[in-house]
Amino acid sequence: LGRVASRPVQASQDLPSFDKSAMDGYAVHAEDLGAGILEPFGECLIGQSQSLTLEPGKTIYVPTGAPVPEGTAAIVPVELAMAFDVAVVVVESSEGKHVIRRGEFLRVGQVVVDAGERIDLVKIALLASQRIDEIWVVRKPNVAFFATGDEISNAPGRFEVIDTITPVIQAWCNSLGLPLMAFGHLPDD
């Protein structure tokens, strides 16, 4: 976190790796995007591949994150449907609504992190989605700092200047996680 990538990292798999539901709801076919009554035809399960194919006039329950069946045009959220034993009443929907398509966030070969990019929490999540837990980063610089001048003092007398820059540089280096290798005071000559 906070480091800078020294080499680009490319996606090795699509994200997501399958078409999935963004909501708990009912899969609808393209021919059924208008409001209507559909026949319930099974359920998709999270973490399992789907062999179901959605046909016009039918619907399949799909929980959030589960793969959608072949032929799904949209997901109608459960909050916008009424389910009965023999029928599901759904509201009008539109193509692609509440369906996250394969590769919608990342495609194989797409750059996840580019060289020179700072690694933030979003980048860590994207790298994790690719099962990448280590990347090449730029080495942190070693910092050596000296306050200079005969007028600078840590215990100033009446006509000397308090050293205020050294604590600022120390704090700045600490906030960046940079090791401050040496510091002190050097006279003018």
Side-chain angles (χ1 to χ4, degrees):
L1 183 64
R3 299 293 297 268
V4 176
S6 64
R7 299 178 184 175
V9 178
Q10 294 181 321
S12 59
Q13 62 184 7
D14 290 339
L15 179 64
S17 59
F18 55 90
D19 292 350
K20 66 181 183 174
S21 177
M23 304 281 291
D24 291 343
Y26 296 93
V28 294
H29 192 274
E31 293 181 24
D32 299 319
L33 288 172
I37 300 172
L38 303 172
E39 178 187 344
F41 180 69
E43 179 177 338
C44 293
L45 301 174
I46 296 172
Q48 295 184 9
S49 65
Q50 298 306 319
S51 59
L52 297 173
T53 299
L54 186 61
E55 300 171 5
K58 298 187 178 191
T59 186
I60 297 173
Y61 175 76
V62 186
T64 303
V68 298
E70 185 75 29
T72 299
I75 298 291
V76 175
V78 293
E79 298 85 356
L80 301 177
M82 293 175 54
F84 303 98
D85 288 341
V86 295
V88 177
V89 179
V90 295
V91 298
E92 185 176 340
S93 192
S94 58
E95 181 75 33
K97 189 82 167 180
H98 304 300
V99 176
I100 303 169
R101 296 294 179 193
R102 178 181 181 146
E104 190 170 318
F105 302 125
L106 279 176
R107 286 277 186 200
V108 171
Q110 185 177 347
V111 173
V112 179
V113 177
D114 212 348
E117 239 182 317
R118 187 170 303 278
I119 307 303
D120 59 16
L121 296 174
V122 171
K123 295 295 181 194
I124 289 173
L126 290 172
L127 290 165
S129 78
Q130 301 298 302
R131 302 186 197 300
I132 297 170
D133 57 4
E134 291 183 350
I135 65 168
W136 289 94
V137 294
V138 175
R139 178 180 286 166
K140 288 183 180 183
N142 293 322
V143 178
F145 172 78
F146 298 91
T148 61
D150 291 336
E151 71 282 3
I152 303 293
S153 173
N154 285 329
R158 185 169 174 203
F159 299 106
E160 293 175 309
V161 177
I162 296 173
D163 178 7
T164 57
I165 193 65
T166 298
V168 169
I169 297 296
Q170 285 175 315
W172 181 61
C173 287
N174 285 339
S175 74
L176 296 173
L178 299 176
L180 190 58
M181 300 305 289
F183 62 93
H185 174 255
L186 296 176
D188 282 333
D189 290 325

